[in-house]
Amino acid sequence: MSVQRGFFDLDERYAALSAAVDPLEKLGALIDFEIFRPALDAALQRSDGSKGGRPPLDAVMMFKTLILQTLYGLSDAQAEFQILDRRSFGRFLGLDDGDNTPDETTIWRFREALVRANAIDALFARFDAHLRGLGYLAMGGQIVDASIIAAPRQRMTDEERALVKGGGIPEDWAAKPAKLAQKDRDARWTLKRGRRKKGPDGKLLAEIATPIFGYKSHIGIDQRHGFIRTWSTSDAARYDGRELPNLIDPANTGSAIWADTAYRSQKNERAILRAGLVSKIHFRRAPGKPLPTQRQRANAARSKVRSAVEHVFATQKHRMGLFIRTIGIERAKVKIGLANIAFNFKRFLYWETRANTV
């Protein structure tokens, strides 16, 4: 026998969600997503509707959909299902029963529009400006690091790999447009090297190197608040240290830059000096020689500060499930950029919650 629903049943469900401490409710209450509308409108350049046709879904609601997708590591199809299935998602997006919800094709098209407009930089900068306006200035110096973001592995022969690396297209791919469209020619293979551990006899064990295919996320965070302030995207094979000049934040009120040994080079040291900053990059030992005790102590002290950046990648890759499902570096940039914005949202939620409990 069916039971007739009462008028206030939905309100009661939402109240139960709130009582269970819905994190999306907090996020929606703390962040005014309307601040992104000008950047979204400029990117999408939608018509005024005078020619008729079905009106598009609201741009801010679609942007929030991408944020949901990023926070929970969802594919387009999974995002469509979860929006239909979860009350907390619907409330976050401002959707009521009977409202049109975004399907996977709509989500894909919206993200593609952001890719074509190269809008992710403007969206990231908009929230960073919002943070600064609220008093969350970049302070205490900056910490720079990079991490490999995996993508689906591409099956290629050695000849195809060499041709793609040189910027070419294999003849077999060019003759089959459908196959070419599924081949990621921007991502690269690289080796992720693990830390060498000591065996029972005290000697270092063999180094373990794992091959990974994908892209690399380069970030700079401020030491005081831990927000991502600068970022860039490259293929996975790019050397970390080459990105340092692009990650320096001139707006940071602190003078120090922390980074691991991959960033130590004469070129980077000169770039840091030109910026009027102080290098706190880890010292590198000379080949075949131990690192002097004084520099070992300096590295240990710097590690205590530098290790804060690992929290960013741990959140994005493990809690948010960051993985590049798209093809091409421009799409990868949008995926990584969304992950950076989403992390700053979570960080903002942390600071605001902490301020209200002190």
Side-chain angles (χ1 to χ4, degrees), residues 44-259:
L44 298 173
Q45 297 183 349
R46 289 172 168 172
S47 67
D48 58 6
S50 59
K51 295 182 179 180
R54 184 178 181 180
L57 293 175
D58 181 71
V60 173
M61 188 273 288
M62 288 302 302
F63 176 66
K64 292 170 75 173
T65 298
L66 295 187
I67 294 299
L68 274 180
Q69 185 181 33
T70 303
L71 286 170
Y72 292 90
L74 303 174
S75 67
D76 293 345
Q78 289 169 337
E80 176 188 352
F81 175 79
Q82 293 293 349
I83 290 168
L84 289 169
D85 187 60
R86 298 175 67 165
R87 290 286 188 186
S88 60
F89 278 27
R91 179 167 66 171
F92 178 71
L93 296 177
L95 297 172
D96 292 324
D97 290 348
D99 287 344
N100 290 330
T101 59
D103 58 23
E104 62 176 303
T105 302
T106 304
I107 295 170
W108 180 85
R109 287 177 175 171
F110 182 81
R111 189 172 55 248
E112 282 292 290
L114 298 185
V115 172
R116 290 193 299 271
N118 194 24
I120 196 65
D121 290 313
L123 292 168
F124 180 89
R126 185 66 193 87
F127 188 63
D128 188 58
H130 182 65
L131 289 173
R132 296 173 191 271
L134 293 175
Y136 292 103
L137 303 178
M139 303 169 65
Q142 46 202 299
I143 309 170
V144 174
D145 204 359
S147 185
I148 301 168
I149 311 299
R153 299 185 176 191
Q154 303 288 302
R155 294 183 178 180
M156 290 183 276
T157 65
D158 292 340
E159 293 78 10
E160 289 174 338
R161 187 177 291 111
L163 187 58
V164 169
K165 191 174 182 180
I169 301 176
E171 292 183 7
D172 180 50
W173 298 7
K176 300 177 181 178
K179 181 177 182 178
L180 179 61
Q182 297 301 317
K183 291 294 185 180
D184 194 334
R185 291 171 284 147
D186 295 329
R188 294 288 183 270
W189 285 95
T190 191
L191 291 176
K192 183 177 181 180
R193 302 183 184 279
R195 294 182 180 179
R196 298 184 66 185
K197 298 181 180 180
K198 291 184 178 180
D201 57 357
K203 294 182 179 180
L204 290 174
L205 300 175
E207 182 181 60
I208 299 177
T210 305
I212 297 181
F213 183 80
Y215 294 90
K216 189 170 285 187
S217 171
H218 308 263
I219 63 170
I221 70 170
D222 71 287
Q223 190 271 336
R224 173 64 180 86
H225 297 112
F227 288 111
I228 301 171
R229 301 292 185 170
T230 58
W231 64 282
S232 65
T233 303
S234 72
D235 62 75
R238 184 171 177 82
Y239 188 62
D240 295 359
R242 293 179 64 183
E243 283 296 306
L244 180 66
N246 300 326
L247 298 172
I248 294 176
D249 180 12
N252 196 298
T253 62
S255 61
I257 292 184
W258 288 269

Side-chain angles (χ1 to χ4, degrees), residues 312-324:
V312 179
F313 296 125
T315 298
Q316 291 181 331
K317 296 169 74 172
H318 300 301
R319 295 186 181 181
M320 292 161 54
L322 179 58
F323 182 83
I324 305 299

Side-chain angles (χ1 to χ4, degrees), residues 19-51:
V21 190
D22 176 12
L24 292 177
E25 183 183 25
K26 286 187 175 181
L27 192 63
L30 282 174
I31 298 174
D32 179 12
F33 280 87
E34 285 297 320
I35 65 174
F36 297 101
R37 189 175 293 279
L40 291 169
D41 288 343
L44 298 173
Q45 297 183 349
R46 289 172 168 172
S47 67
D48 58 6
S50 59
K51 295 182 179 180

